[in-house]
Amino acid sequence: MTGRPLRIGNASGFYGDRFDAMREMLTGGELDVLTGDYLAELTMLILGRDRLKDPGAGYARTFLRQLEECLGLAHERGVRIVANAGGLNPAGLADAVRKLADRLGVPVRVAHVEGDDLRTRYPDSLAAHAYLGGFGIAACLREGADLVVTGRVTDAALVTGPAAAHFGWGPGDHDRLAGAVVAGHVLECGAQATGGNYAFFAEGDVRRPGFPLAELREDGSCVITKHPGTGGFVDVGTVTAQLLYETAGARYAGPDVTARLDTVRLTQDGPDRVRVEGVRGQAPPATLKVGVNRLGGFRGEVAFVLTGLDIEAKAALVREQMTEALARTPPAETRWDLVRTDRPDAPTEETASALLRLVVRDPDQETVGRALSGAAVELALASYPGFHVLAPPGKGSPYGVFDDVYVPHGAVDHMAVLQDGRRVPVPPAHDTAVPDDPPEPPLPRPLPPGPTRHAPLGLVAGARSGDKGGNANVGVWVRTDDAWRWLAHELTADRFRELIPESGPLKVTRHPLPNLRALNFVVEGILGEGVAAQHRFDPQAKALGEWLRSRHLDIPEILL
């Protein structure tokens, strides 16, 4: 296709990502727009607690420190910056950036997007924010902004906004917007698209992956790549992994458009270049997602170390003792987990030891503190042989709970606020539809019978997993047609439950994506009330996919 593409890069996948990435992206090659994603469900809770202490806080302060080094550089190179670092206070961040620009002597026009804050609707929340789309960002850029900060927009909006402004797209350009959503979803987590957290990481040098960029064209297609000479690698696998991350079925609904992930086509377009095309879009749903973060209560934990022989009996003894002690002032919730990290005839004390974890929760901090500090410490000389704990139990720390609810588009005052103070309303989506539930796609012919070997799934399949509130998403993909013929028939929802036993009593939904040779599984409720509640050992399900890859099943030898 003719015409120069819009080059959009990413310099942050979360609040705390590599500080030098902004400079690396600005100096490493040509860019038109540089984006940064600083927000996540847990981040909003953290920023909410910050703002309780200081009403002027609530935004990602590291973004300001990055700009101190890079604002002049971006201005010299003509690169516009778009970031959601505004968090709970985008107006405050915009003012801080203007003061910084004045101090540095850099003539930068700063705008911000607001309207996502719905805390007045949810007065018991620390943070309640609608996920806005990209047209507020687009309005800021069309009015000449050089730097745009937002609060809670969708991660992909950081790309759909600049693309809509640059190409002149409107809300009805569903296919083009869907292509930009896919590009934005690939970029949003930074180095996860360039070899970071990648199942087949040994295939490239991922000690310091570069950050990704998209060469986006007017028709919505793009090429995912990275700056020359940076670490990591970009191939169909790294892009597939990120496409599956924290998505579910074939319809990826957002405030701008519903992108049809079952239409995405990926092809290798040269070294470190993957072409993304064919994406179709549909009208967005009539409602916006709202993330509500609230304080759930207080949480305390103690890990008893059980060493050597009779692990099960030692665990039973201390559990019985603690249960009796806790009955005096019972906390609202008690959870035990025995983690068998021990091995027979171990060469070190650590490898001879197992961990018995006790977690208690209660609305009252003192109840948590009494339950653990008193009861656990009193057993120090009166329990199993070798009694000790990993760390002294504390008084209990606050934990958060995340809920997602939905409101009509018109329930928010989506607003672009410009450098000169003008406020430009962003109209709600007028063309909406309920995302259709597509029929199950036809599966490929199964592989013919043949010899198998009992081996780890990860020898033939990659996986990436993550969290959406209390649910976990596990994407699994393979790299050949024959492997897809096997995986599509072998890894059913029931087989998934067998391989991941804790998902057994939960609802597991399987979503096939044949174009990607992939299956996406959603496990409902496995993360309890969300990451901030620390419900399980891996509270964001980051390694759930790697656990799945380590499980053994009968794999055809021709695939091995």
Side-chain angles (χ1 to χ4, degrees), residues 173-183 186 216 219-222 243 250 252 257-266 275-282 515-516:
D173 289 311
H174 295 148
D175 290 347
R176 292 174 172 85
L177 288 167
V181 164
V182 168
V186 173
L216 190 63
D219 66 351
S221 66
C222 72
L243 262 181
Y252 187 49
V257 69
T258 294
R260 288 188 48 189
L261 300 183
D262 56 343
T263 62
V264 179
R265 296 197 307 271
L266 305 178
R275 183 168 297 280
V276 184
E277 55 193 348
V279 187
R280 302 296 302 275
Q282 298 171 337
N515 278 11
L516 302 176

Side-chain angles (χ1 to χ4, degrees), residues 218-558:
E218 195 278 336
D219 66 351
S221 66
C222 72
V223 170
I224 303 296
T225 184
K226 63 186 185 70
H227 283 327
T230 55
F233 60 102
V234 179
D235 65 15
V236 169
T238 66
V239 174
T240 298
Q242 181 55 29
L243 262 181
L244 297 173
Y245 181 64
E246 295 182 348
T247 60
R251 304 296 188 260
Y252 187 49
D256 293 324
V257 69
T258 294
R260 288 188 48 189
L261 300 183
D262 56 343
T263 62
V264 179
R265 296 197 307 271
L266 305 178
T267 53
Q268 199 72 36
D269 196 47
D272 294 320
R273 293 178 63 84
V274 172
R275 183 168 297 280
V276 184
E277 55 193 348
V279 187
R280 302 296 302 275
Q282 298 171 337
T287 56
L288 296 174
K289 177 181 173 180
V290 179
V292 180
N293 288 276
R294 56 183 172 83
L295 186 64
F298 295 86
R299 177 187 185 278
E301 177 178 339
V302 61
F304 300 93
V305 183
L306 315 172
T307 305
L309 305 177
D310 306 317
I311 296 293
E312 300 282 352
K314 290 172 178 173
L317 171 59
V318 72
R319 183 167 178 171
E320 184 176 353
Q321 291 174 308
M322 285 295 297
T323 299
E324 183 177 337
L326 292 175
R328 300 169 200 154
T329 53
E333 181 185 344
T334 303
R335 175 169 173 159
W336 293 89
D337 289 293
L338 177 59
V339 185
R340 295 300 300 264
T341 51
D342 57 302
R343 67 184 71 169
D345 195 20
T348 66
E349 183 176 337
E350 190 168 2
T351 55
S353 300
L355 297 178
L356 179 65
R357 295 173 61 239
L358 167 62
V359 175
V360 300
R361 303 175 198 268
D362 196 87
D364 178 58
Q365 189 174 26
E366 290 188 8
T367 299
V368 173
R370 283 196 304 269
L372 292 183
S373 297
V377 171
E378 288 173 3
L379 292 178
L381 303 179
S383 189
Y384 60 87
F387 180 101
H388 66 288
V389 297
L390 285 184
K395 62 181 181 179
S397 57
Y399 72 89
V401 172
F402 177 85
D403 296 308
D404 52 355
V405 297
Y406 293 84
V407 298
H409 283 259
V412 303
D413 294 320
H414 195 174
M415 193 75 62
V417 185
L418 308 180
Q419 170 81 14
D420 59 8
R422 282 185 296 138
R423 300 174 65 83
V424 180
V426 180
H430 60 275
D431 181 15
T432 62
V434 177
D436 62 325
D437 191 10
E440 180 91 3
L443 296 181
R445 291 181 295 110
L447 280 180
T452 62
R453 188 191 317 164
H454 203 61
L457 173 64
L459 294 183
V460 296
R464 179 167 287 166
S465 55
D467 63 314
K468 280 292 184 187
N471 301 338
N473 144 252
V474 185
V476 185
W477 80 95
V478 290
R479 300 193 282 185
T480 68
D481 289 339
D482 278 349
W484 171 239
R485 291 172 63 187
W486 170 76
L487 183 77
H489 292 276
E490 176 66 22
L491 194 57
T492 62
D494 287 340
R495 179 56 57 88
F496 183 98
R497 290 189 186 92
E498 292 174 13
L499 298 174
I500 306 296
E502 68 178 296
S503 71
L506 304 174
K507 181 180 179 181
V508 177
T509 306
R510 184 181 100 147
H511 302 280
L513 296 167
N515 278 11
L516 302 176
R517 300 192 193 98
L519 302 170
N520 225 342
F521 293 89
V522 177
V523 188
E524 297 186 20
I526 193 171
L527 303 179
E529 295 174 299
V531 54
Q534 298 282 308
H535 178 74
R536 69 189 293 273
F537 168 66
D538 174 16
Q540 288 182 280
K542 293 290 189 182
L544 189 58
E546 286 300 295
W547 178 25
L548 178 67
R549 293 181 70 235
S550 74
R551 298 308 310 270
H552 288 57
L553 63 173
D554 294 328
I555 301 174
E557 287 192 351
I558 61 169

Side-chain angles (χ1 to χ4, degrees), residues 51 58 108 119 167 193 201 229 281 407 417 452 559:
R51 205 170 188 193
V108 174
R119 279 174 294 174
F167 294 117
F201 64 94
V407 298
V417 185
T452 62
L559 302 181

